Amino acid sequence: MNLRKPPQNEDLPIFTTLFSSPSTKDSQELMEYPFLSLAKKRTQPIQYRSGDVEVTVKGTDDGIATIWDWDLMLWLLSQIRTALDRKQPVSRKIRFNRSAFLKYARRSNGGKEYALLEASILRLQSTTVRTSIRVKRGVTVAFSWLESAEILRDDQGHLKDAVVVIPEWLYEAVCDHRLVLTLHPDYFLLKKGLERWLYRLIRKQAGNRAQGWRWPLRLLYERSGSVQAFKYFAHQLRSIIQTGHLLDYQLSLVSEGTESFLVAVRQGQRPVPDLEPPREDPEREDPDSIAPETRPEPPPVRFLKLKPRTYELGRKIARGYDIYGLEADWQTLLQRQHRAPQDPDADFLAWCRQVATAPVQDWQAYQRLLKAE
């Protein structure tokens, strides 16, 4: 007699949530691309493609998973990451209590919230994702945000506890500390979907960089996966920028010709001036002939902008590294060397190759590579 194998989920050990207030962790890849609906009710699929990056998200008539539904996934990922950091056993199969999650997400505790939580679980389970991120070239991976969900109810029929299984693709991400970032503790207090999405993107790309980051509004529109017309999206975005800040980031809007850019800088950081590289002057004094105590400091190298294709090539060259972290280190190295490359894209890719081929085994070794001139 030939019997089929039972579902693998049955063989997984159960990881029970242990930590009441872990720091909130999110997947860097999910912060960068449109994987979630910014509206509370959306049935239209999300379809995004740029170079080799493909993201397709589909749901049912009840809609696709929203950025508010993702609060639960943040809770689960944070539990796993905290346990890993403390050298405790973890699993993709997780059991949690409703009250613990609601307290963590800074929500009220009552029948309405229990129903909303159950609806979130169902949308996460019924939303299917197809992507080419973090797989071999020519390969596409497909999964649901929750492979399965078992709901345990109280005497009133409300959700009390749940046992869920997260997909292997997401589990691998949270197990690699290089692929997760910590969010601001007040993230859950952001009301608007666009604010939540914008903060996550800024946190991913601007980070703690002294020069901050800037994005064309049109690029932000494409990355958001929004179904609004661009003019309405831009209007809402400008309203957020006019407040001057988003949690711990300072926001401003600058224009160059007909294009507008969002600029975000971590509070307490000062952006590096966008200076042109110094021109050669045959009559100026040789700086090496000036005494060290009187030699002026060279002007900071301007913040160099890279082409979108360069990021894709950099990911292929330095697999496993955070491409934006590599870019920040490259910018730091240029500042230290007071060097402004004529071809920033080629120079950055050369840095990626240096990192990828060097015998970098630990953080100290990487820092030695970064300081090498």
Side-chain angles (χ1 to χ4, degrees):
M1 179 183 298
N2 293 324
L3 299 177
R4 68 174 178 84
K5 295 182 179 180
Q8 294 183 353
N9 292 347
E10 294 182 0
D11 300 328
L12 291 173
I14 294 181
F15 168 65
T16 302
T17 55
L18 303 171
F19 312 103
S20 58
S21 300
S23 58
T24 303
K25 305 294 184 181
D26 201 355
S27 165
Q28 295 193 41
E29 295 151 333
L30 298 175
M31 299 163 73
E32 185 177 1
Y33 295 105
F35 281 94
L36 300 165
S37 170
L38 306 188
K40 292 188 175 181
K41 179 67 174 179
R42 172 175 174 171
T43 57
Q44 180 178 340
I46 298 174
Q47 293 182 310
Y48 174 85
R49 190 178 186 91
S50 177
D52 294 333
V53 175
E54 173 192 349
V55 175
T56 301
V57 183
K58 296 182 179 181
T60 64
D61 291 340
D62 293 327
I64 63 176
T66 71
I67 201 163
W68 294 274
D69 297 333
W70 195 249
D71 289 0
L72 175 60
M73 303 304 290
L74 292 177
W75 159 249
L76 301 177
L77 297 180
S78 302
Q79 291 284 332
I80 293 174
R81 187 64 252 171
T82 302
L84 287 170
D85 292 339
R86 299 187 183 186
K87 311 298 183 184
Q88 298 179 356
V90 295
S91 171
R92 294 195 295 123
K93 192 172 186 177
I94 311 167
R95 177 173 181 143
F96 68 93
N97 176 264
R98 66 189 182 191
S99 298
F101 162 71
L102 293 174
K103 180 180 179 181
Y104 167 81
R106 303 172 79 170
R107 301 183 186 181
S108 59
N109 205 338
K112 179 181 178 180
E113 291 297 337
Y114 304 157
L116 291 175
L117 174 56
E118 182 171 347
S120 290
I121 292 174
L122 295 178
R123 271 191 300 272
L124 290 165
Q125 198 276 325
S126 62
T127 297
T128 58
V129 180
R130 188 172 71 243
T131 183
S132 60
I133 295 176
R134 208 177 355 106
V135 293
K136 295 180 180 179
R137 184 181 180 88
V139 175
T140 300
V141 62
F143 54 86
S144 296
W145 290 127
L146 293 177
E147 287 187 3
S148 64
E150 179 182 354
I151 295 174
L152 310 176
R153 303 185 183 279
D154 60 18
D155 294 339
Q156 287 74 43
H158 297 305
L159 179 151
K160 181 180 180 182
D161 296 278
V163 179
V164 298
V165 178
I166 67 173
E168 189 73 32
W169 185 87
L170 189 57
Y171 183 70
E172 290 176 352
V174 74
C175 288
D176 187 341
H177 66 89
R178 297 171 300 178
L179 299 180
V180 295
L181 283 175
T182 303
L183 303 188
H184 192 283
D186 288 341
Y187 166 80
F188 296 106
L189 299 182
L190 295 175
K191 295 181 179 180
K192 298 179 181 179
L194 184 57
E195 287 180 324
R196 287 172 165 239
W197 169 81
L198 184 61
Y199 168 77
R200 293 169 73 234
L201 181 69
I202 291 173
R203 174 69 184 92
K204 169 65 177 69
Q205 296 193 347
N208 295 322
R209 295 170 179 82
Q211 64 267 36
W213 202 264
R214 73 177 195 169
W215 304 261
L217 298 195
R218 179 68 65 173
L219 176 62
L220 291 174
Y221 176 67
E222 295 171 357
R223 284 294 181 94
S224 72
S226 174
V227 294
Q228 298 183 89
F230 173 70
K231 62 179 180 180
Y232 299 117
F233 174 88
H235 175 74
Q236 291 186 9
L237 197 60
R238 286 189 173 94
S239 297
I240 297 173
I241 297 171
Q242 286 175 358
T243 64
H245 71 280
L246 182 60
L247 296 180
D248 52 345
Y249 286 92
Q250 297 172 336
L251 306 181
S252 59
L253 189 68
V254 297
S255 298
E256 293 182 5
T258 59
E259 192 157 26
S260 297
F261 295 83
L262 163 66
V263 179
V265 182
R266 195 76 175 260
Q267 290 182 1
Q269 302 284 352
R270 297 181 61 185
V272 175
D274 191 14
L275 301 179
E276 293 294 331
R279 298 179 180 178
E280 293 295 331
D281 184 356
E283 298 183 0
R284 73 181 178 184
E285 187 174 11
D286 181 7
D288 290 334
S289 66
I290 305 175
E293 60 272 12
T294 60
R295 185 180 301 165
E297 285 293 327
V301 179
R302 61 176 176 154
F303 176 54
L304 301 172
K305 291 173 286 187
L306 301 175
K307 299 175 183 177
R309 178 62 176 167
T310 301
Y311 294 108
E312 304 302 331
L313 293 174
R315 287 189 180 93
K316 296 177 182 177
I317 294 170
R319 291 187 180 276
Y321 284 88
D322 171 17
I323 194 65
Y324 296 106
L326 287 178
E327 182 189 22
D329 290 339
W330 170 70
Q331 296 273 5
T332 299
L333 188 61
L334 294 180
Q335 296 287 340
R336 184 179 294 115
Q337 297 175 342
H338 305 293
R339 182 168 63 86
Q342 292 185 345
D343 189 341
D345 297 276
D347 196 271
F348 174 66
L349 293 178
W351 164 246
C352 291
R353 293 187 188 94
Q354 185 180 4
V355 172
T357 58
V360 179
Q361 302 298 330
D362 54 33
W363 177 249
Q364 289 75 19
Y366 183 80
Q367 290 302 302
R368 289 193 294 271
L369 178 63
L370 177 61
K371 294 177 182 178
E373 299 188 11

